[in-house]
Amino acid sequence: MSKPLVAITGASSGIGEATARAFSREGHPLLLMARRVERLKTLGLPDCLCEKVDVTNLESLKSAVEKGEEKFGPIDCLVNNAGVMLLSKAHLQDTGEWERMLDVNVKGMLNGIHLVLKGMIERQAGTIINISSVAGLKPGPNLAVYSGTKFAVRAISESIREEAAPHDVRVTVISPGLVETELLEHTTVRELKEGFENLKEGMGGFLEPSDVAGAILYTYKQPRNVCVREIVLAPTRQLR
Ligand code: NDP
């Protein structure tokens, strides 16, 4: 029997890309979404629809979901992974950076949930996996808004998990610590980027995106009556 459709936002790099490869190895058809659609296509995965999507734009996401479901059937698993992290002190940060993080990390996730949850409840089946962060458990300097968005991911997920549970729909939060991806490069404050490099050396390296993809796949592959509510994983030597 063919396996059901898995949809992943932010699949053009890092954790999303590794997750796409992991589900593909398991034989799932995929709906991959990101703004850099060429990078999705270069993954060269079989049974894969690659769509140019900005998750902050509900219509763009809706059109991709409709195309994916028309081609491969209903989405059985949505991984809300697209995210941005722009670090700075609150009194120095441009409010545009705040808006971007809130829009992508919170509203983008909500847009994804809005488009799949109703169908999952009607079918009495489905899994939504939202990517938070250790920053969603522990706030700190330079992290005010990023951390706030990741706390929001956990709060929203837990409320919706309780709403969806009676319908056999699972909602999971994955909270990684430091992972070696492009995420850290988007910060505009140079000293903070350099700080991460020193941290990495001290830790003997960050997690690989495939480590997080493994946790996502583990969650999904549990029997349907098992909901992994939350996984927190970080490099062993990461202290905070
Ligand atoms: P990357 O920067 O490698 O990946 C981020 C992905 O999000 C890219 O594929 C990017 O695609 C996509 N994205 C960003 N903005 C949008 C948008 N508006 N619409 C659609 N897609 C978008 O970083 P990671 O793999 O590390 O990040 C994945 C998730 O993991 C994020 O939610 C992040 O917060 C979380 N995380 C990461 C940690 C880390 O240390 N790396 C730690 C904890 C959590 P494109 O630019 O092509 O649109």
Side-chain angles (χ1 to χ4, degrees), residues 15-222:
I15 295 167
E17 176 184 332
T19 304
R21 292 188 194 282
F23 276 101
S24 185
R25 277 194 297 273
E26 294 281 317
H28 285 274
L30 296 171
L31 167 60
L32 302 184
M33 295 167 280
R35 292 164 306 170
R36 293 169 296 172
V37 71
E38 317 71 36
R39 292 207 22 180
L40 298 175
K41 289 180 181 157
T42 29
L43 299 184
L45 300 175
D47 294 329
C48 182
L49 185 65
C50 300
E51 286 292 305
K52 184 177 169 68
V53 164
D54 183 332
V55 292
T56 66
N57 179 333
L58 182 63
E59 283 312 306
S60 137
L61 198 54
K62 184 166 184 262
S63 143
V65 164
E66 283 171 358
K67 276 193 211 166
E69 294 200 322
E70 200 177 310
K71 195 169 161 75
F72 296 118
I75 291 173
D76 189 51
C77 177
L78 170 65
V79 185
N80 276 311
N81 164 76
V84 281
M85 179 178 77
L86 306 163
L87 303 177
S88 183
K89 295 254 182 332
H91 70 289
L92 300 175
Q93 193 158 29
D94 186 277
T95 55
E97 293 197 349
W98 292 353
E99 274 170 40
R100 224 176 113 207
M101 287 188 279
L102 286 160
D103 283 351
V104 177
N105 301 359
V106 182
K107 291 193 209 161
M109 174 193 70
L110 284 169
N111 284 341
I113 291 170
H114 171 72
L115 292 171
V116 301
L117 182 59
K118 195 156 178 281
M120 287 179 173
I121 285 175
E122 281 163 9
R123 292 189 297 279
Q124 302 264 300
T127 305
I128 297 175
I129 300 175
N130 298 323
I131 309 302
S132 178
S133 167
V134 163
L137 293 129
K138 299 178 186 212
N142 298 304
L143 279 171
V145 176
Y146 179 71
S147 189
T149 66
K150 293 303 187 179
F151 268 76
V153 167
R154 293 181 57 245
I156 291 165
S157 300
E158 181 56 14
S159 298
I160 296 176
R161 186 193 64 72
E162 291 192 17
E163 292 172 11
H167 305 280
D168 291 328
V169 174
R170 305 182 295 186
V171 179
T172 294
V173 176
I174 307 281
S175 297
L178 289 159
V179 188
E180 182 68 53
T181 70
E182 294 172 21
L183 192 81
L184 309 173
E185 285 155 31
H186 299 136
T187 289
T188 48
V189 184
R190 194 167 45 86
E191 306 83 82
L192 292 177
K193 280 195 214 174
E194 287 166 2
F196 273 109
E197 283 308 312
N198 298 336
L199 204 57
K200 185 160 62 182
E201 257 176 53
M203 257 180 224
F206 293 161
L207 294 184
E208 289 299 325
S210 58
D211 297 322
V212 184
I216 293 170
L217 193 62
Y218 165 84
T219 295
Y220 178 71
K221 283 178 73 175
Q222 295 307 302

